[in-house]
Amino acid sequence: MSRILDEINFPSDMKSLSNEELLKLCTEIREQMIIRLSNTGGHVGSNLGVIEATVALHYVFNSPIDKIVFDVSHQSYTHKLLTGRKEAYMNPEKYSSVSGFTNPLESEHDIFSIGHTSTSISLACGLAKARDLKEEKNNIIAVVGDGALSGGEALEGLNNASVLQSNIIIIINDNDMSIAENHGGLYQNLKALRESNGQSNCNLFKALGFDYYLVRDGNNLEDLIETFKKVKDIDHPVIVHMCTVKGKGYLLAEQNKEKWHFQGAFNLGTGNSLQVVNETEETYENLTRDYLTQRMKEDKNVIAITAGTPKVLGFDEKTRQEFKEQFVDVGIAEEHAVAFASGIAKNGGKPVFGVSSSFIQRTYDQLSQDLALNNSPAVILVFFNGITSESQTHLGVFDIPLISNIPNIVYLAPTCKEEYISMLDWSLNQTNHPVVIRVPGIIAETRNSKILNDYDKLNKYEVVEKGNKVAILGLGKFFKLGTKVKDLLKEKANIKATLINPRYITGIDNEVLEKLKEDHELVITLEDGVIDGGFGEKIARFYSNSNIKVLNFGAKKEFVNNVKLEELYEKYHLREDMIVSDILGIL
Amino acid sequence: MSRILDEINFPSDMKSLSNEELLKLCTEIREQMIIRLSNTGGHVGSNLGVIEATVALHYVFNSPIDKIVFDVSHQSYTHKLLTGRKEAYMNPEKYSSVSGFTNPLESEHDIFSIGHTSTSISLACGLAKARDLKEEKNNIIAVVGDGALSGGEALEGLNNASVLQSNIIIIINDNDMSIAENHGGLYQNLKALRESNGQSNCNLFKALGFDYYLVRDGNNLEDLIETFKKVKDIDHPVIVHMCTVKGKGYLLAEQNKEKWHFQGAFNLGTGNSLQVVNETEETYENLTRDYLTQRMKEDKNVIAITAGTPKVLGFDEKTRQEFKEQFVDVGIAEEHAVAFASGIAKNGGKPVFGVSSSFIQRTYDQLSQDLALNNSPAVILVFFNGITSESQTHLGVFDIPLISNIPNIVYLAPTCKEEYISMLDWSLNQTNHPVVIRVPGIIAETRNSKILNDYDKLNKYEVVEKGNKVAILGLGKFFKLGTKVKDLLKEKANIKATLINPRYITGIDNEVLEKLKEDHELVITLEDGVIDGGFGEKIARFYSNSNIKVLNFGAKKEFVNNVKLEELYEKYHLREDMIVSDILGIL
């Protein structure tokens, strides 16, 4: 029996389908999507949940003339499949031909590169305003998940979208979940709206001035089409609140929504992960959880905070339940999280906010004004930092320039798990500084070395091995690379280099650096982040009026998209052989 | 007749006053405040509006055990007067003994140093959470103006405050104004609530889960006291929506709220400013307005954007009315403004967002993800940047490290008005890059020099004078300082230095810098911003493996509070005589 999917390549191919055929198309897409996801992994839950909605969108609207902006865009797989990229979901050889997020380089149906939450409404407002200036007449549609609504940018966007006085259609995909469960008042309102069939007196969206439509069953294709037809070409801002089931059609994903938010390749039948996990390897996640839960038991003022990603701190559902009062998930609201932590610290609590490097980008002003200016002794742990093969929207290389150039903050770079715990310990026990710790990787490794626990006197570097001629400053995770460079230098050129663990990203150890001038010619810096505005440049500045030469190693200032780690290391000369060769080229 | 005010030094002195005496106290404070404001200037409108509310707060609550967090804290004058700092408002010799914002160094009644909007709710949430962990029982109160509510952090805070399950009192001071008029859906809701006496079916705060009280006349002391008594010691989150009159009691300020938001010293009788304004001096504000309005007339796709500070772009009420469709005030919502601009640019519009250096700090992630990653050719103008004697919350020295380390953005530093217009012109005409321009000061000065209009080839520095031995890179506004250094070097040491206008903050001119190696020993960089993570360090890095020495001049990474400009220049060695002496010390 021939499949409808086989005849569909672009939205224009769907326009003449009957409702029955459209339904069949959804079934075929879902089947295909489950197969694809089981092979490649991906955002399982959200993509299975919006198949009907995406089919309905492309059936009713006229992309790319009508412009659809997907928030986060992790749920855009069906959109991609229906807009010229079918092979990427049907042909195993082409699986890697598309990325997991919208990207204008892939298709004119993708308006923006998006990967952070809460941006679609504001971006769509801009598209709509430009359309109005041009006196054009297309539809501008933002598709935003309920989880993303709590982010400040989305809320600013809602406040402004509602007064646009022309066409903008905001589709709230309400599956009652962020990555984990939702938190905050607006979710209680979504619930009240769901349960009252949209009739609740309290309606956040109407209060903000929006016209409001509810699609109670957002996996019902006919209801979706009917509503989308009603709002198409509307002349004012409208919210379509559609309730979908995260993981729809794959029972395991429906049953455990948090686990199936994002999943690696899995066995289609059992749902078991196909990834080989080394259970014996200790992760920084779990190390952090174990440390924090121990501290929480001892001291009820210790409190862990997450902004919608509890697993970053290792807090699974069980742990969250156990430490109910001492664990707060503020939802996707990083700005609030930083200010909240500052307030807690100011009132005698001991807050620890765990966040990934890419998402702390949302909090520069809160780090500066709410935290640093007030010298609140809160602790922030930055996970998933450094050079990775991640999407261009989730790079972890910018946190050093972002954080380290703010006054008052002490930004620490531990080199191993023992030093990490030692620094965490100190930061929770002191009350003089806001402290940020750059978590050195995923797998918790040991350096098998005594840790100096003397953090009170700031900016004292650890001279691990004293040599001469060349000094290597290996920051954080790259201390290990520094050790390799030192060994290779000895081997290749019989140079006994000095090896230093700087420990502090935010300060210069004048004494140690001055002393190096006595018997060194070259200082190299290794940092797992962008060089521009980072740690190494400060060392270059320190020596800039001396005879010491400096070489900074790190990432280039650029957005790289899913590039292999080895390729990036090679490009940035971050291999010990390349570094040694650069060194020898200077000496 | 003796004044009640004479007997009041701390909130405890007010507790036994009768209602009549409290009313009299308000009158005395208002009288005193108008005198003080006419002498020193300050935030006239908001402070006159909240006298009754502040008296009622300190009468009902028990500060500092009960903790009051003032949003922006520009409206805290009466609070300061009632908490041990009366002399600063009554004794001309002590006028300068307090700052215009809350500051814990001044008093235990000031919980935080605050100067940016929209932070109080999240900070108060933190105080409340820490209180609950400690099992204490005080009141936590945030006082936030309606204008500040539209900021993302405030909205994130509201969403989280409403589910706190314990005491938190959020007082919305609704005077129907930001600095200029309010914009956005939530203001329509505040209006509906005011007009329905709080009975409107649409209630944003109830929709978010708050208990809700309205004080229809927020300048009525008895009503305020009655309501505050009702919510005192409440066991759940509550909103007190109080409607006050901005400028209350000083007729001129009531009549022209925007003008009297902030006012320098003025004649008490006529309201005329006492500041000597040189009307013939051209400002960058007006230059920008004149340029933009001209462009707008020629091209309806040009659109100016502000986030609640239209005067930054020179857009007074008249201009705003004239260019209604091509001027958008998104309210205090900088994140939205950047994403909105990106969306407009993506759809063919030509957006120009004007913002002060201190407030662009709120948009790092939007600059990176919404703008730069998408290479949207929007234009952002950064005003009020550089070293100033401003409050520690409004410093303009951090924008270079913030913006210039983001990929894809072209950050330009014009040196004079002709170059500014030339760069603005180019940035609006091109469609390849997001462009940010650092406006070089307040008064538009000329360099009397031909401007190179060749911006398409990025990162080409302008060699203004070719010399040898010493090269001076004078960035933006500090090009002028560079010229002085050059002249003094010639005079003092007969060194004919090379003088360079780098123009691009975000790039290195390899060719020019390489060539300097031929006949120069020292390169100095001058930038009107913090050195850490800034422009000069990149030059230091460039030369770090050569024999060229580099000296970076700029601001130290620190929060400085209302320090005189000359003092800061001296501290940072930013005087030509000090720079020349530093140079000669190296050569």
Side-chain angles (χ1 to χ4, degrees):
Chain A
M1 192 176 116
S2 85
R3 295 197 303 180
I4 292 168
L5 189 48
D6 295 330
E7 307 303 319
I8 306 291
N9 290 301
F10 286 97
S12 51
D13 302 327
M14 299 162 56
K15 301 295 179 187
S16 59
L17 295 183
S18 68
N19 273 7
E20 206 176 325
E21 288 167 321
L22 287 169
L23 261 179
K24 191 159 173 291
L25 176 63
C26 290
T27 306
E28 291 172 9
I29 292 174
R30 181 164 280 117
E31 193 180 279
Q32 194 61 51
M33 200 59 80
I34 293 173
I35 295 169
R36 157 58 143 91
L37 285 164
S38 74
N39 277 285
T40 62
H43 284 98
V44 177
S46 45
N47 277 293
L48 292 180
V50 297
I51 291 173
E52 287 79 12
T54 312
V55 167
L57 274 174
H58 280 297
Y59 177 72
V60 173
F61 293 98
N62 185 23
S63 174
I65 292 171
D66 292 331
K67 297 185 193 316
I68 309 170
V69 184
F70 290 92
D71 207 277
V72 200
S73 79
H74 64 305
Q75 80 290 54
S76 61
Y77 299 178
T78 298
H79 161 77
K80 291 197 177 195
L81 183 149
L82 293 172
T83 53
R85 290 164 281 182
K86 197 169 67 176
E87 287 294 295
Y89 299 89
M90 301 181 70
N91 177 353
E93 285 173 23
K94 296 286 177 71
Y95 279 168
S96 59
S97 65
V98 298
S99 75
F101 300 94
T102 56
N103 188 337
L105 296 179
E106 284 180 15
S107 164
E108 60 177 345
H109 295 268
D110 293 6
I111 319 296
F112 296 99
S113 281
I114 296 183
H116 282 195
T117 69
S118 316
T119 70
S120 63
I121 300 170
S122 295
L123 291 169
C125 279
L127 296 177
K129 183 69 193 177
R131 173 204 58 201
D132 295 345
L133 291 172
K134 293 188 286 182
E135 294 175 25
E136 290 175 355
K137 284 282 170 214
N138 43 38
N139 290 276
I140 304 293
I141 302 142
V143 180
V144 48
D146 52 327
L149 272 190
S150 57
E153 187 178 350
L155 296 166
E156 289 184 359
L158 280 178
N159 184 43
N160 278 287
S162 65
V163 293
L164 197 70
Q165 296 186 305
S166 66
N167 169 288
I168 185 167
I169 299 163
I170 300 171
I171 299 174
I172 312 277
N173 174 28
D174 177 7
N175 58 28
D176 197 21
M177 286 290 282
S178 292
I179 296 175
E181 65 280 3
N182 282 323
H183 294 274
L186 78 86
Y187 297 107
Q188 299 181 353
N189 191 230
L190 289 182
K191 185 162 181 274
L193 288 167
R194 281 197 304 270
E195 291 177 353
S196 66
N197 209 22
Q199 303 305 307
S200 169
N201 252 341
C202 284
N203 184 319
L204 178 71
F205 306 107
K206 286 189 181 173
L208 283 170
F210 285 99
D211 198 358
Y212 172 84
Y213 288 78
L214 178 76
V215 183
R216 187 64 192 83
D217 180 358
N219 294 101
N220 183 310
L221 189 69
E222 279 186 53
D223 292 355
L224 288 163
I225 290 174
E226 190 191 324
T227 305
F228 290 165
K229 280 184 172 168
K230 276 187 200 156
V231 300
K232 188 181 181 185
D233 300 326
I234 206 163
D235 66 353
H236 58 270
V238 61
I239 296 279
V240 177
H241 176 191
M242 72 177 188
C243 310
T244 64
V245 176
K246 202 167 180 176
K248 178 76 177 180
Y250 190 64
L251 194 62
L252 291 163
E254 286 190 40
Q255 285 170 344
N256 190 340
K257 295 188 167 67
E258 183 174 343
K259 175 167 182 276
W260 288 86
H261 171 78
F262 186 93
Q263 181 65 274
F266 57 92
N267 178 301
L268 196 62
T270 64
N272 291 337
S273 173
L274 299 181
Q275 287 173 305
V276 183
V277 180
N278 186 341
E279 291 281 349
T280 61
E281 277 185 325
E282 192 176 25
T283 63
Y284 277 107
E285 263 178 45
N286 292 343
L287 193 67
T288 307
R289 180 200 56 213
D290 294 347
Y291 174 85
L292 285 179
T293 52
Q294 185 58 37
R295 284 292 299 247
M296 285 171 171
K297 281 179 197 158
E298 295 160 13
D299 180 353
K300 69 177 163 49
N301 291 319
V302 174
I303 172 167
I305 301 167
T306 182
T309 56
K311 290 295 267 306
V312 165
L313 283 170
F315 276 64
D316 52 25
E317 226 174 312
K318 187 171 150 278
T319 316
R320 301 204 292 268
Q321 280 305 318
E322 192 182 342
F323 293 90
K324 231 171 176 164
E325 293 306 309
Q326 287 168 272
F327 180 79
V328 178
D329 183 346
V330 298
I332 293 176
E334 291 85 0
E335 301 171 54
H336 173 76
V338 169
F340 180 59
S342 173
I344 291 172
K346 207 55 159 185
N347 204 7
K350 293 180 179 301
V352 179
F353 172 41
V355 58
S356 71
S357 168
S358 180
F359 299 147
I360 202 167
Q361 295 185 180
R362 307 191 145 211
T363 69
Y364 179 92
D365 200 51
Q366 289 70 35
L367 290 171
S368 172
Q369 298 282 312
D370 295 326
L371 185 73
L373 181 65
N374 285 289
N375 247 322
S376 294
V379 180
I380 297 178
L381 307 177
V382 178
F383 290 82
F384 306 128
N385 58 69
I387 301 162
T388 62
S389 56
E390 273 287 348
S391 145
Q392 58 187 345
T393 52
H394 288 72
L395 303 176
V397 294
F398 299 110
D399 58 89
I400 294 182
L402 184 85
I403 298 168
S404 72
N405 296 313
I406 298 173
N408 295 3
I409 290 179
V410 176
Y411 197 9
L412 298 172
T415 57
C416 64
K417 65 180 182 180
E418 293 84 2
E419 193 167 36
Y420 171 65
I421 292 296
S422 163
M423 286 174 169
L424 191 44
D425 222 39
W426 171 76
S427 62
L428 268 168
N429 293 338
Q430 61 84 43
T431 54
N432 295 318
H433 314 281
V435 178
V436 186
I437 303 178
R438 200 167 200 250
V439 180
I442 308 290
I443 304 302
E445 294 183 347
T446 181
R447 237 176 78 199
N448 292 316
S449 165
K450 196 173 163 301
I451 301 301
L452 305 175
N453 298 314
D454 57 340
Y455 306 105
D456 276 327
K457 193 161 179 228
L458 298 181
N459 306 327
K460 301 305 291 175
Y461 296 174
E462 180 193 3
V463 180
V464 179
E465 278 189 55
K466 178 76 185 77
N468 56 47
K469 209 162 180 176
V470 176
I472 302 161
L473 274 65
L475 189 72
K477 198 170 79 180
F478 273 11
F479 178 81
K480 198 172 159 183
L481 177 61
T483 309
K484 287 182 194 164
V485 171
K486 183 208 65 176
D487 292 344
L488 195 61
L489 260 184
K490 178 75 187 160
E491 187 190 319
K492 290 258 181 193
N494 200 29
I495 293 171
K496 183 175 163 8
T498 294
L499 180 64
I500 293 172
N501 166 18
R503 309 196 300 166
Y504 298 85
I505 307 177
T506 31
I508 291 290
D509 187 334
N510 282 294
E511 203 183 317
V512 163
L513 294 186
E514 271 302 330
K515 215 169 152 49
L516 291 181
K517 288 181 181 173
E518 290 170 9
D519 49 4
H520 290 74
E521 294 170 31
L522 173 67
V523 174
I524 72 159
T525 65
L526 308 172
E527 67 194 293
D528 195 6
V530 68
I531 299 177
D532 298 68
F535 172 76
E537 284 186 346
K538 286 165 188 66
I539 306 298
R541 164 153 69 106
F542 180 88
Y543 288 116
S544 65
N545 64 353
S546 78
N547 292 320
I548 301 274
K549 292 193 169 47
V550 176
L551 278 184
N552 298 141
F553 293 88
K556 191 165 171 258
K557 182 179 81 168
E558 61 181 352
F559 295 114
V560 286
N561 200 17
N562 300 127
V563 180
K564 285 205 186 103
L565 197 57
E566 309 85 73
E567 259 178 67
L568 290 174
Y569 279 0
E570 176 154 353
K571 180 177 181 186
Y572 301 149
H573 276 219
L574 288 170
R575 280 192 345 233
E576 59 268 29
D577 57 325
M578 299 172 88
I579 295 170
V580 165
S581 143
D582 288 346
I583 291 172
L584 298 178
I586 298 259
L587 292 179
Chain B
M1 192 176 117
S2 83
R3 295 199 301 181
I4 292 169
L5 188 49
D6 296 329
E7 308 302 318
I8 306 291
N9 290 300
F10 286 95
S12 52
D13 303 327
M14 297 162 59
K15 301 294 178 186
S16 58
L17 296 183
S18 67
N19 273 8
E20 205 176 328
E21 289 167 320
L22 287 170
L23 262 179
K24 192 160 174 292
L25 176 62
C26 290
T27 305
E28 292 172 8
I29 291 174
R30 181 163 280 115
E31 192 180 279
Q32 193 62 50
M33 200 59 79
I34 293 173
I35 295 169
R36 159 51 145 93
L37 285 164
S38 73
N39 277 285
T40 62
H43 283 97
V44 177
S46 46
N47 277 292
L48 292 180
V50 296
I51 291 173
E52 288 78 11
T54 312
V55 167
L57 274 173
H58 280 298
Y59 177 71
V60 173
F61 294 99
N62 186 22
S63 173
I65 292 172
D66 293 330
K67 298 186 194 314
I68 309 170
V69 184
F70 290 92
D71 206 276
V72 200
S73 80
H74 63 306
Q75 80 289 54
S76 62
Y77 300 178
T78 298
H79 161 78
K80 291 197 177 194
L81 183 150
L82 293 171
T83 53
R85 290 164 280 183
K86 196 168 66 178
E87 287 294 296
Y89 299 88
M90 301 180 69
N91 178 353
E93 285 173 24
K94 295 287 177 67
Y95 280 167
S96 59
S97 65
V98 298
S99 74
F101 300 94
T102 56
N103 187 337
L105 297 178
E106 284 180 15
S107 164
E108 61 177 343
H109 296 269
D110 293 5
I111 319 297
F112 296 99
S113 281
I114 295 183
H116 282 195
T117 70
S118 317
T119 71
S120 64
I121 300 170
S122 295
L123 291 169
C125 279
L127 296 176
K129 183 69 193 177
R131 172 204 59 201
D132 295 346
L133 290 172
K134 292 188 286 183
E135 294 174 25
E136 290 174 354
K137 285 282 170 214
N138 43 38
N139 290 277
I140 305 292
I141 302 142
V143 180
V144 49
D146 52 329
L149 272 189
S150 58
E153 186 177 350
L155 296 166
E156 289 185 357
L158 280 178
N159 183 42
N160 277 287
S162 64
V163 293
L164 196 71
Q165 297 187 306
S166 67
N167 170 288
I168 185 167
I169 299 163
I170 298 171
I171 298 174
I172 312 277
N173 174 28
D174 177 7
N175 58 28
D176 197 20
M177 286 291 281
S178 292
I179 296 174
E181 65 280 3
N182 283 321
H183 295 273
L186 79 86
Y187 298 108
Q188 299 181 352
N189 191 229
L190 289 181
K191 184 162 181 273
L193 288 167
R194 281 197 305 271
E195 291 177 352
S196 65
N197 210 22
Q199 302 305 306
S200 168
N201 253 341
C202 283
N203 184 318
L204 178 72
F205 307 107
K206 285 188 181 173
L208 283 171
F210 285 99
D211 198 359
Y212 172 86
Y213 289 78
L214 177 76
V215 183
R216 187 62 192 85
D217 180 357
N219 294 102
N220 182 310
L221 189 69
E222 278 186 54
D223 291 355
L224 287 163
I225 290 175
E226 191 192 322
T227 305
F228 291 166
K229 280 184 173 168
K230 275 186 200 156
V231 299
K232 188 181 180 183
D233 300 326
I234 207 163
D235 66 354
H236 58 271
V238 61
I239 296 280
V240 177
H241 176 190
M242 72 177 188
C243 311
T244 64
V245 175
K246 204 167 179 177
K248 178 76 178 179
Y250 190 62
L251 195 62
L252 290 164
E254 287 190 39
Q255 285 170 344
N256 189 341
K257 297 189 166 68
E258 182 174 345
K259 175 167 182 276
W260 287 86
H261 171 79
F262 187 93
Q263 181 64 275
F266 57 93
N267 178 299
L268 195 60
T270 64
N272 291 336
S273 172
L274 299 181
Q275 287 173 306
V276 183
V277 181
N278 187 340
E279 292 281 347
T280 61
E281 278 186 324
E282 192 177 25
T283 63
Y284 277 106
E285 263 178 44
N286 293 343
L287 193 66
T288 307
R289 180 200 56 212
D290 294 345
Y291 174 84
L292 285 180
T293 50
Q294 185 57 40
R295 285 293 299 247
M296 285 172 174
K297 281 179 198 159
E298 294 160 12
D299 180 353
K300 70 177 165 42
N301 291 318
V302 174
I303 172 167
I305 302 167
T306 181
T309 57
K311 290 295 266 306
V312 165
L313 283 170
F315 276 64
D316 52 26
E317 226 174 312
K318 188 172 148 281
T319 317
R320 301 204 291 270
Q321 279 305 319
E322 192 182 342
F323 293 90
K324 232 173 176 165
E325 293 306 309
Q326 287 169 274
F327 179 79
V328 178
D329 183 347
V330 298
I332 294 176
E334 291 85 359
E335 301 172 55
H336 173 76
V338 170
F340 180 58
S342 174
I344 291 172
K346 207 56 157 185
N347 204 7
K350 295 181 177 301
V352 179
F353 172 41
V355 58
S356 73
S357 169
S358 180
F359 298 147
I360 203 168
Q361 295 186 178
R362 308 191 145 209
T363 68
Y364 180 92
D365 200 52
Q366 288 71 35
L367 290 171
S368 171
Q369 299 281 314
D370 295 325
L371 185 73
L373 180 65
N374 285 287
N375 247 322
S376 294
V379 181
I380 298 178
L381 307 178
V382 178
F383 290 82
F384 305 129
N385 58 68
I387 302 162
T388 62
S389 56
E390 272 288 346
S391 148
Q392 59 187 343
T393 52
H394 288 71
L395 304 175
V397 294
F398 299 111
D399 57 89
I400 293 182
L402 183 85
I403 297 169
S404 72
N405 297 312
I406 298 173
N408 296 2
I409 291 178
V410 176
Y411 197 9
L412 297 172
T415 57
C416 64
K417 64 179 181 181
E418 292 83 3
E419 193 167 36
Y420 171 65
I421 292 297
S422 162
M423 287 173 168
L424 192 43
D425 223 38
W426 171 76
S427 61
L428 268 168
N429 293 337
Q430 60 85 41
T431 53
N432 296 317
H433 315 281
V435 179
V436 186
I437 303 179
R438 198 166 199 249
V439 180
I442 308 291
I443 304 301
E445 295 181 348
T446 182
R447 238 176 79 199
N448 291 317
S449 164
K450 197 174 162 300
I451 301 301
L452 306 176
N453 299 314
D454 57 340
Y455 305 106
D456 276 326
K457 190 159 182 231
L458 298 181
N459 305 328
K460 300 305 291 174
Y461 296 174
E462 179 193 3
V463 181
V464 178
E465 278 189 56
K466 177 77 185 78
N468 56 46
K469 208 160 180 176
V470 176
I472 302 161
L473 274 65
L475 189 71
K477 198 170 80 180
F478 272 12
F479 178 81
K480 198 171 159 183
L481 177 61
T483 308
K484 288 182 192 163
V485 170
K486 183 208 65 173
D487 292 345
L488 194 61
L489 260 184
K490 179 73 188 159
E491 186 189 321
K492 291 259 180 191
N494 200 29
I495 293 171
K496 183 174 165 6
T498 294
L499 180 63
I500 292 172
N501 167 17
R503 309 196 301 166
Y504 297 85
I505 307 177
T506 31
I508 291 289
D509 186 335
N510 281 294
E511 201 182 319
V512 163
L513 294 186
E514 271 303 327
K515 213 168 154 51
L516 291 181
K517 288 181 179 171
E518 289 170 10
D519 49 2
H520 290 75
E521 294 170 31
L522 174 67
V523 174
I524 73 160
T525 65
L526 308 172
E527 68 194 295
D528 194 7
V530 69
I531 298 177
D532 299 68
F535 171 76
E537 284 186 347
K538 286 165 189 64
I539 306 298
R541 165 154 68 105
F542 180 89
Y543 289 115
S544 66
N545 63 354
S546 78
N547 291 320
I548 302 274
K549 292 193 168 49
V550 177
L551 278 185
N552 298 139
F553 293 88
K556 190 165 172 258
K557 182 179 83 169
E558 62 181 350
F559 295 114
V560 287
N561 200 16
N562 299 126
V563 180
K564 285 204 186 99
L565 198 57
E566 310 84 75
E567 259 178 66
L568 290 174
Y569 279 0
E570 175 154 353
K571 181 178 182 187
Y572 301 148
H573 278 219
L574 288 170
R575 280 194 342 236
E576 59 268 32
D577 57 324
M578 300 172 89
I579 294 169
V580 165
S581 141
D582 288 346
I583 289 173
L584 299 178
I586 298 260
L587 293 178

